[in-house]
Amino acid sequence: MGTIVATSRTPAVLRELGARLRTLRLHQNLRVKDLAARAGVGARTIDRVEAGHSVGTGTLVRIMRGLGRVQAFEALIPPPEPSPYEIEQLKGKLRQRASGRPPPEPTS
């Protein structure tokens, strides 16, 4: 398997992700049709993903759940943490909506 770098074009990234998903499936000794049944997708969909074709986000989540790896999305897109400024301003209140204005400049 290769590596994914910032300069990789989308088709190369999709091929690499497909190869990694195939390796995960094989390490779990799953046939394509078994993973497809677990994920609730067609076997052809699994074949296409492993070949590097694009699929919808929902399909990718189903496949990752079928592999028992949905927690990998946590590392992909970690939840945002409030900045120190926001912590001080909010004092425990959770933000519910965006104002549409740029954040104020911090003062020294």
Side-chain angles (χ1 to χ4, degrees):
M1 273 188 266
T3 56
I4 299 172
V5 295
T7 57
S8 296
R9 299 182 72 72
T10 301
V13 172
L14 290 172
R15 282 191 302 274
E16 180 62 26
L17 291 176
R20 291 180 187 189
L21 288 171
R22 181 175 193 273
T23 299
L24 281 171
R25 177 179 61 78
L26 293 174
H27 280 213
Q28 294 182 26
N29 201 28
L30 289 171
R31 295 177 297 180
V32 169
K33 71 178 191 174
D34 296 330
L35 176 56
R38 278 186 181 186
V41 299
R44 180 72 181 126
T45 299
I46 302 296
D47 286 335
R48 290 181 49 76
V49 169
E50 290 182 357
H53 293 272
S54 181
V55 294
T57 308
T59 300
L60 183 58
V61 170
R62 286 195 225 35
I63 292 169
M64 293 295 283
R65 186 173 290 120
L67 289 167
R69 297 296 296 262
V70 76
Q71 76 280 4
F73 289 115
E74 188 73 25
L76 178 66
I77 307 170
E81 295 184 17
S83 71
Y85 176 79
E86 289 173 321
I87 292 170
E88 184 63 30
Q89 291 296 311
L90 296 175
K91 295 283 189 195
K93 299 176 191 172
L94 291 178
R95 189 166 189 170
Q96 299 296 314
R97 59 181 67 92
S99 67
R101 292 176 292 190
E105 293 294 321
T107 56
S108 300

